[in-house]
Amino acid sequence: QSALTQPPSASGSPGQSVTISCTGTSSDVGGYNYVSWYQQHPGEAPKLMIYDVSKRPSGVPDRFSGSKSGNTASLTVSGLQAEDEADYYCSSYAGDNNVVFGGGTKLTVV
Amino acid sequence: QVRLQESGPGLVRPSQTLSLTCTVSGGSISSGDYYWSWIRQDPGRGLEWIGYIYYDGSTNYNPSLKSRVTISVDTSKNLFSLKVISVTAADTAVYYCAREAGSDFDIWGQGTLVTVSS
């Protein structure tokens, strides 16, 4: 199983929206509605932000939304805030009870 | 609330065995509602799922690591453990334990850095 493909970086200004993509194959992203997104600040553990493509855990702001089309999933952060600056990782179920992660995207709020 | 805490040596010699433990508090591994996973992160790089264990001892591993990895559980102590044999510098990483609900990881430990070096 190969890692999912994410852009290494993304940026936006406060108040703007930014979308991060996560591209896999029909064996992972495209084959199941089990894509998750994690936010990681420096020195901290990842935090679950989106699961099952578009569901938000309790406590995650509705500024964060997820979607999927074919083999590509996307995370959109609306109304960017300074505290959204972090690394973001996608993951997907990849069959046979396996999980694969993306390489991560560093989001900068400029 | 449920908390996970990793523990174990921070330095392992090449070709030796890496051993880590994850202690779960605030909830029972035996509830059967979740899988219990290990995930690692190379310094400055991405995340890699290592594998999971269920309370009954059933396991599943990342195919790329399967030959070197064993995950075990001790329900009496409410903890699960990771062993990686024949380590090399490529196994240097921050190792996280996490609770897996479906295919997402909703609770993570703080992580522990393991360095493989002589």
Side-chain angles (χ1 to χ4, degrees):
Chain A
Q1 53 191 33
S2 301
L4 307 176
T5 300
Q6 298 181 233
S9 62
S11 63
S13 300
Q16 289 186 334
S17 294
V18 64
T19 297
I20 299 170
S21 63
C22 170
T23 301
T25 69
S26 58
S27 297
D28 37 62
V29 174
Y32 310 94
N33 288 322
Y34 296 128
V35 176
S36 302
W37 289 91
Y38 301 87
Q39 177 191 66
Q40 185 178 35
H41 287 111
E44 297 183 2
K47 174 187 176 183
L48 180 65
M49 304 300 284
I50 296 287
Y51 68 100
D52 293 354
V53 176
S54 60
K55 297 177 181 177
R56 277 188 311 278
S58 175
V60 173
D62 59 6
R63 303 185 294 103
F64 292 85
S65 61
S67 62
K68 191 188 83 166
S69 177
N71 295 336
T72 298
S74 298
L75 172 72
T76 297
V77 185
S78 305
L80 270 176
Q81 299 182 4
E83 58 262 36
D84 299 334
E85 185 162 296
D87 294 329
Y88 290 85
Y89 295 89
C90 63
S91 73
S92 174
Y93 180 70
D96 294 329
N97 294 315
N98 292 323
V99 173
V100 62
F101 283 95
T105 298
K106 182 176 181 60
L107 174 61
T108 302
V109 181
V110 297
Chain B
Q1 75 264 32
V2 175
R3 292 180 183 268
L4 284 68
Q5 177 68 59
E6 305 90 350
S7 59
L11 179 65
V12 182
R13 305 301 182 191
S15 80
Q16 299 301 302
T17 296
L18 179 160
S19 297
L20 296 174
T21 294
C22 181
T23 301
V24 180
S25 60
S28 174
I29 287 179
S30 299
S31 70
D33 295 330
Y34 302 97
Y35 295 90
W36 304 90
S37 293
W38 287 98
I39 297 160
R40 69 183 184 180
Q41 184 170 32
D42 290 357
R45 296 181 60 185
L47 298 162
E48 181 177 36
W49 174 74
I50 298 171
Y52 71 65
I53 192 162
Y54 195 49
Y55 79 100
D56 64 357
S58 56
T59 56
N60 192 49
Y61 302 122
N62 185 323
S64 67
L65 297 168
K66 187 174 183 176
S67 63
R68 297 193 297 124
V69 169
T70 301
I71 299 176
S72 58
V73 66
D74 186 336
T75 54
S76 67
K77 296 180 179 179
N78 215 33
L79 59 81
F80 60 107
S81 301
L82 170 71
K83 289 188 187 298
V84 183
I85 64 172
S86 305
V87 297
T88 68
D91 294 306
T92 294
V94 175
Y95 285 76
Y96 294 98
C97 57
R99 188 177 80 171
E100 183 175 345
S103 60
D104 55 86
F105 306 97
D106 64 343
I107 298 177
W108 296 62
Q110 66 184 26
T112 187
L113 174 63
V114 178
T115 301
V116 178
S117 175
S118 56

